[in-house]
Amino acid sequence: MNGAESLVHTLIACGIDTVFANPGTSEMHFVAALDRIPGINCVLCLDETVASGAADGYWRVTGRPAATLFHCGPGLANGLANLHNARRARSGILNIVGDQATYHRPLDAPLTADTEGWARPVSGFVRTAKSAATVGRDAAEAIAAARSGTIATLILPADTAWTEGGVAGETCEVPARAMPDDEAIASAVEVLRSGEPAMLLLGGRTLRDATLRQATAIAAATGCKLLSEMFNARMERGQGRPPIERIPYFIDAAIHTLSGIKHLILVEAKPPVGFFAYPGKPGRLWPEDCTLHTLAAIDQDGSAALTALAQAIEGAEPEIPATPRPAPSTGAIEPETVATTIAALLPDQAIVIDEGISFGRGFSRFTHGAAPHLWLQVPGGAIGGGLPTAVGAAVSAPGRRVVAIQADGSAMYSIAALWTAARQNLDITVILLANRKYAILLHEFVGVGANPGPTALGMLDLGNPDLNFVKLAEGMGVAAAQAPTMARLNELLASSVEHKGPFLIELLTG
Amino acid sequence: MNGAESLVHTLIACGIDTVFANPGTSEMHFVAALDRIPGINCVLCLDETVASGAADGYWRVTGRPAATLFHCGPGLANGLANLHNARRARSGILNIVGDQATYHRPLDAPLTADTEGWARPVSGFVRTAKSAATVGRDAAEAIAAARSGTIATLILPADTAWTEGGVAGETCEVPARAMPDDEAIASAVEVLRSGEPAMLLLGGRTLRDATLRQATAIAAATGCKLLSEMFNARMERGQGRPPIERIPYFIDAAIHTLSGIKHLILVEAKPPVGFFAYPGKPGRLWPEDCTLHTLAAIDQDGSAALTALAQAIEGAEPEIPATPRPAPSTGAIEPETVATTIAALLPDQAIVIDEGISFGRGFSRFTHGAAPHLWLQVPGGAIGGGLPTAVGAAVSAPGRRVVAIQADGSAMYSIAALWTAARQNLDITVILLANRKYAILLHEFVGVGANPGPTALGMLDLGNPDLNFVKLAEGMGVAAAQAPTMARLNELLASSVEHKGPFLIELLTG
């Protein structure tokens, strides 16, 4: 057994079943081992940003890590932006980065780069394998790190793969997440009973049905407000589930939403701050006279904390108001009409990937009446996360429909994801919001206090020439059509969610 | 004058005239300054890998740095692979990376990342601006570094752009490259007169007509061999110019080419090593009993060194054998026929961008008879360099035709470059070599000693579905057509080089 074979055996033994791959020469022995030893689903991605985003999507749906396979430092570099998003989503991923043989690295061949240096800022675990004999154990430790919800990067010099003497690693234990602190719960009880305006800010794994019910019970019993973070990795939403709003993106609205709050209780949430700084505006979103309390830190079990808190408060679980499922909208193409149509036509247990940026920003408030679904955002803010996350989500959950709400500018960062969707015949419907501009930047530009002239428009406008997403999709084997009206959107969305395989709807929103 | 305005004034004063940009919110004050102050050509790229590759192409044609504009750490990360290529090409680039405001960074907003950490492995100069008052001076120093042929990364926190009190920086002197060492020249003379088999290995800026003539004179006078590095940033080639072969890519051929050499004289070249290591094969390409000599290190002036050497040797400039310009080939689609057609139809002073990988590997040896042209490769080996480099080359050299010889797998890494080609109406002809597989990896896989099974093929084969590059190009506003025969290739290539604007030819080579 060579090192590569020991690595494949370790992956299988430790529960890795999927690799999103774009291999190169230095990974050929590993590819050969994957070929010989059955048990891993290898999904080819046309570049690494698709692979890393797909692994993020896989984790967010399943809570289990997938692996990526990258080629040397530059291959890893191509995947970094979506690894940044995955880190902010607190997703676990195992990166396997093939690299120069240990003895070849000092010769500085062209593809030699600082692979570890590039990996470190996004990885909770980085290791370069030293030998074929130890790579199995390295992988087992890396997988344990990934299973705990961090990015683990294992660099695999070619000779540690091809040399004989590999030993499969054994599963390492993953420590359970820390339980809530009794004092933190007691302190939250005191705050909530004080009668002062309080808010629970929920993040991380608390945005699931059962936990949201606990939070809603606490809110009903104490009058505190409930809010979730601005961008969330995963929210369970839809009919029968407690609706929860998010911190708004725009700075003034965000500050307004938190105004008057005297106690902000964080539950797997970070202290809320502006997405960017703006001249003369505060960076922290909570009022100056508001006290922060941590019920559960981001690496603790916030759901257990909320359960304990609900018991202490003696909050009875409130009835969730029935939100009627709307009919598809037939008005003009506006954010509200499009969101209403999505709410109307979303299949049960769908997975929504939201990289809707400007046009899609308000969709969530019109979709509480949809069938129960998952809603995944791009928590790191690096654009281009949407389509790759959709690929990973669809690979992880056969039989569920993925609906990707996708802005046009961001789509072009990782458009090659469509090809993988076609090859794997993934059940993804892309609603491509084609406004043909970087609308968010035009908004920000005006905020700077000027009307854009030709130079600025040349950097903020996506027209001239217009992108034709139908042709782009068809060029990668994905069926597609344009929707110039709501009627056509309704027709295409209804039909696409009924049919196996991917479909792209280019919605002209401009 | 705010910091952003001082930065624009500094760019203009220091000779930067082009910015390849993909801005975000934190760069809006800089975009506004570019809008207000005329003098910079801002070219929008749909992702950063296009922008960084374009800046590389711009340098390689002009010898002057362009700037890039990136958004935060993740934006820089997307550009790293082509910055790696640029570093290996020894190209000078000024990266301007907008980032969180200085006081906002500690709050760890979603897009906050280790921007400096990611920049360092590719940059000879990294600095984060501290204030609006000093950003002009920072930029002037960064531009001086870029002009000397390194990548300079200037990180621009948003508040250093928007704060008043900017001061334009003054041009810094760029030290001349070191002249050749008299001892090195004397030693090379001695070696070349010894009668022992010797070879001049040329790299960097020596691969230009005038210098190649000096090298050819030395070879004619002494009987030494001439060779260039495996992948070269820029070669002046074609009719009337001395032909020079490259070190072969495949390890056995490379070792064979250098076998028997007793003295290898490096002229702006690195000691030659295998692109990768292979079990049981050496990593160094020169024979064990061969001595290395450095006539000019990679940061020295190798052309001056060769001129001095030619004088010392008293080599008379030999006549360059006339290579007849061939007729377009009409045979089957093979590397030799395609290369012959390119040689036949390449316009005078064309710029060839060669990311032909497997099918295109041998093209150079059949194109010496083409009209005088530049030939640019991807020296860093990170795939996806081709189309972006073509964009930068075309922006830098209006009136010259750029011909991009582009493999299909690599093309998908940076296909969005086509949109910038359309928007700028760039004179680029893409010859897209569609073999519908990662042919180089299939070759390497077989070298591992196995026939690929379904899992391996699934990672090495690009079919199922076939990519349709005509639709992809048209989707981005680039006219395109398929060439299933040599006759059609000849027709399309001849016509495209005569017409303004980009054109893509999908050549079915599979």
Side-chain angles (χ1 to χ4, degrees):
Chain A
M1 171 155 71
N2 64 23
E5 290 162 329
S6 77
L7 177 52
V8 177
H9 285 300
T10 307
L11 297 180
I12 294 168
C14 297
I16 300 280
D17 57 14
T18 304
V19 177
F20 297 100
N22 190 282
T25 298
S26 43
E27 292 79 68
M28 279 307 107
H29 287 83
F30 182 52
V31 169
L34 288 164
D35 203 37
R36 275 195 299 273
I37 305 163
I40 309 259
N41 179 24
C42 297
V43 177
L44 178 60
C45 302
L46 294 187
D47 68 26
E48 295 86 355
T49 200
V50 177
S52 58
D56 183 13
Y58 187 97
W59 167 276
R60 291 208 239 161
V61 174
T62 64
R64 290 186 297 112
T68 63
L69 177 57
F70 297 141
H71 180 46
C72 300
L76 171 67
N78 285 325
L80 286 175
N82 274 335
L83 291 174
H84 168 88
N85 285 331
R87 180 173 79 87
R88 293 295 187 186
R90 306 167 205 166
S91 296
I93 294 175
L94 172 68
N95 295 317
I96 300 171
V97 188
D99 214 336
Q100 301 291 359
T102 52
Y103 59 86
H104 203 63
R105 168 166 281 278
L107 302 184
D108 197 37
L111 264 170
T112 310
D114 185 1
T115 313
E116 281 196 4
W118 279 336
R120 223 166 275 125
V122 289
S123 308
F125 175 108
V126 179
R127 187 176 299 170
T128 300
K130 296 269 184 302
S131 71
T134 49
V135 69
R137 201 177 61 210
D138 293 333
E141 290 178 34
I143 295 166
R147 285 172 59 212
S148 77
T150 66
I151 296 170
T153 302
L154 177 64
I155 300 164
L156 184 69
D159 53 334
T160 68
W162 76 50
T163 304
E164 288 297 317
V167 182
E170 287 176 23
T171 311
C172 303
E173 208 172 323
V174 178
R177 289 198 299 154
M179 290 299 289
D181 184 319
D182 284 346
E183 271 178 54
I185 293 164
S187 159
V189 169
E190 195 178 324
V191 162
L192 291 170
R193 287 194 174 142
S194 71
E196 292 201 301
M199 178 185 279
L200 287 172
L201 183 63
L202 307 188
R205 308 191 205 192
T206 66
L207 302 171
R208 57 187 72 196
D209 188 22
T211 304
L212 288 170
R213 286 173 189 274
Q214 304 281 3
T216 309
I218 294 165
T222 66
C224 76
K225 292 189 177 173
L226 285 186
L227 208 63
S228 71
E229 290 189 287
M230 194 181 285
F231 292 100
N232 296 286
R234 181 186 198 277
M235 305 177 83
E236 293 182 2
R237 306 174 73 245
Q239 289 187 326
R241 290 170 170 174
I244 183 166
E245 290 300 330
R246 307 180 329 234
I247 296 182
Y249 175 80
F250 291 114
I251 185 80
D252 294 335
I255 290 169
H256 178 74
T257 301
L258 276 82
S259 68
I261 300 295
K262 297 282 187 224
H263 298 280
L264 185 61
I265 302 173
L266 305 173
V267 196
E268 292 190 37
K270 291 173 63 182
V273 302
F275 202 83
F276 294 109
Y278 295 88
K281 314 227 172 190
R284 294 177 175 83
L285 299 179
W286 64 95
E288 295 220 348
D289 61 350
C290 170
T291 308
L292 289 194
H293 308 266
T294 299
L295 178 64
I298 59 171
D299 57 349
Q300 291 184 318
D301 188 340
S303 297
L306 285 169
T307 302
L309 183 57
Q311 280 173 346
I313 294 285
E314 295 179 351
E317 196 171 308
E319 211 155 307
I320 306 302
T323 323
R325 187 159 173 160
S329 180
T330 52
I333 295 178
E334 304 283 355
E336 182 171 347
T337 52
V338 175
T340 302
T341 276
I342 292 171
L345 299 177
L346 204 62
D348 189 42
Q349 301 306 323
I351 303 167
V352 176
I353 312 292
D354 172 8
E355 196 177 27
I357 314 275
S358 296
F359 190 88
R361 185 164 324 281
F363 280 15
S364 68
R365 79 181 48 178
F366 303 109
T367 49
H368 289 305
H373 61 275
L374 281 184
W375 192 284
L376 278 48
Q377 298 179 278
V378 182
I383 68 174
L387 296 176
T389 307
V391 163
V395 166
S396 81
R400 292 172 75 174
R401 173 62 46 173
V402 173
V403 174
I405 298 168
Q406 181 60 57
D408 51 0
S410 311
M412 291 306 295
Y413 268 65
S414 47
I415 195 74
L418 294 176
W419 181 82
T420 300
R423 176 179 266 206
Q424 303 287 325
N425 200 28
L426 300 175
D427 294 334
I428 299 175
T429 300
V430 180
I431 303 176
L432 199 300
L433 308 172
N435 61 11
R436 296 170 175 169
K437 55 180 88 76
Y438 290 118
I440 188 170
L441 296 183
L442 280 163
H443 172 96
E444 299 281 4
F445 190 93
V446 171
V448 167
N451 286 321
T455 299
L457 278 175
M459 285 190 277
L460 306 178
D461 182 7
L462 280 173
N464 181 27
D466 285 341
L467 291 157
N468 182 322
F469 283 95
V470 173
K471 285 194 173 179
L472 290 172
E474 289 176 353
M476 287 182 272
V478 171
Q482 238 178 33
T485 62
M486 286 302 299
R488 186 75 174 129
L489 171 66
N490 296 343
E491 188 182 303
L492 291 169
L493 183 55
S495 128
S496 78
V497 301
E498 291 297 323
H499 288 89
K500 182 83 200 128
F503 194 85
L504 182 142
I505 304 166
E506 183 178 17
L507 181 67
L508 304 181
T509 70
Chain B
M1 173 154 67
N2 65 22
E5 290 162 330
S6 77
L7 177 53
V8 176
H9 284 301
T10 307
L11 296 180
I12 294 168
C14 298
I16 299 281
D17 57 14
T18 304
V19 177
F20 296 100
N22 191 280
T25 297
S26 42
E27 291 80 67
M28 279 307 108
H29 287 83
F30 182 52
V31 169
L34 288 164
D35 203 37
R36 275 195 298 273
I37 305 163
I40 308 258
N41 179 23
C42 297
V43 178
L44 178 60
C45 301
L46 293 187
D47 68 25
E48 294 85 355
T49 200
V50 177
S52 58
D56 184 13
Y58 187 98
W59 168 274
R60 290 207 239 162
V61 174
T62 65
R64 290 186 297 113
T68 63
L69 177 57
F70 296 142
H71 181 46
C72 299
L76 171 68
N78 286 325
L80 286 174
N82 274 336
L83 290 175
H84 168 89
N85 286 331
R87 181 173 79 89
R88 294 295 188 187
R90 306 167 205 167
S91 295
I93 293 176
L94 172 68
N95 295 318
I96 299 171
V97 189
D99 213 336
Q100 301 290 359
T102 51
Y103 60 86
H104 203 64
R105 168 167 281 277
L107 302 185
D108 197 37
L111 264 169
T112 309
D114 185 3
T115 314
E116 281 196 4
W118 279 337
R120 223 167 273 124
V122 288
S123 307
F125 175 107
V126 179
R127 186 176 300 171
T128 299
K130 296 268 183 302
S131 71
T134 49
V135 68
R137 202 176 61 210
D138 293 332
E141 290 178 34
I143 294 166
R147 285 172 57 212
S148 78
T150 66
I151 295 171
T153 301
L154 177 64
I155 299 165
L156 184 69
D159 53 334
T160 67
W162 78 50
T163 304
E164 288 298 316
V167 182
E170 287 177 23
T171 312
C172 303
E173 208 172 323
V174 178
R177 289 199 299 154
M179 290 299 288
D181 183 319
D182 284 346
E183 270 179 54
I185 293 164
S187 159
V189 169
E190 194 178 326
V191 162
L192 291 170
R193 285 192 174 142
S194 72
E196 291 200 303
M199 177 185 278
L200 287 172
L201 183 63
L202 307 188
R205 309 191 204 192
T206 66
L207 301 171
R208 57 187 72 195
D209 189 22
T211 305
L212 288 170
R213 286 173 189 275
Q214 304 282 3
T216 308
I218 295 165
T222 66
C224 76
K225 292 188 177 173
L226 284 186
L227 208 63
S228 71
E229 289 188 290
M230 194 180 284
F231 292 100
N232 296 286
R234 182 186 197 276
M235 306 176 84
E236 292 182 1
R237 305 174 74 246
Q239 289 188 326
R241 290 170 170 176
I244 183 166
E245 289 300 331
R246 306 181 328 232
I247 295 182
Y249 174 80
F250 290 115
I251 185 81
D252 294 336
I255 290 168
H256 177 74
T257 301
L258 275 82
S259 68
I261 300 295
K262 296 282 187 223
H263 299 279
L264 185 61
I265 303 173
L266 306 173
V267 196
E268 293 190 36
K270 291 173 62 180
V273 302
F275 202 83
F276 294 109
Y278 296 89
K281 314 227 171 188
R284 294 177 175 81
L285 299 179
W286 64 96
E288 294 219 349
D289 61 350
C290 171
T291 309
L292 289 193
H293 309 266
T294 299
L295 177 64
I298 59 171
D299 58 348
Q300 291 183 319
D301 188 340
S303 296
L306 285 169
T307 302
L309 183 57
Q311 279 172 347
I313 296 284
E314 295 178 352
E317 196 170 308
E319 210 155 308
I320 307 302
T323 324
R325 185 158 174 161
S329 179
T330 52
I333 295 177
E334 303 283 355
E336 182 171 347
T337 53
V338 175
T340 302
T341 276
I342 291 172
L345 299 177
L346 205 61
D348 189 43
Q349 301 305 324
I351 302 166
V352 175
I353 312 293
D354 172 7
E355 196 176 29
I357 315 275
S358 297
F359 191 88
R361 185 162 328 282
F363 280 15
S364 68
R365 78 182 46 180
F366 303 110
T367 48
H368 289 304
H373 61 275
L374 280 184
W375 191 284
L376 277 50
Q377 297 180 277
V378 182
I383 68 174
L387 296 177
T389 306
V391 163
V395 166
S396 79
R400 292 172 75 173
R401 173 62 46 174
V402 173
V403 174
I405 298 168
Q406 182 59 57
D408 51 0
S410 310
M412 291 308 294
Y413 268 64
S414 46
I415 195 73
L418 293 177
W419 181 83
T420 299
R423 174 178 267 207
Q424 304 287 324
N425 200 28
L426 300 175
D427 294 335
I428 300 174
T429 300
V430 180
I431 303 176
L432 199 299
L433 307 171
N435 61 11
R436 296 170 174 168
K437 54 179 91 74
Y438 291 118
I440 187 170
L441 297 182
L442 281 163
H443 172 96
E444 299 281 4
F445 190 93
V446 171
V448 167
N451 286 320
T455 299
L457 278 176
M459 284 190 278
L460 306 177
D461 182 7
L462 279 173
N464 181 26
D466 285 341
L467 290 157
N468 182 323
F469 282 96
V470 173
K471 285 194 173 178
L472 290 172
E474 290 176 352
M476 287 183 272
V478 171
Q482 237 178 32
T485 62
M486 285 303 298
R488 185 76 174 128
L489 171 65
N490 297 342
E491 188 182 304
L492 291 170
L493 183 54
S495 128
S496 78
V497 300
E498 291 296 323
H499 288 89
K500 182 82 199 131
F503 193 85
L504 182 142
I505 304 165
E506 184 178 19
L507 181 67
L508 304 181
T509 71

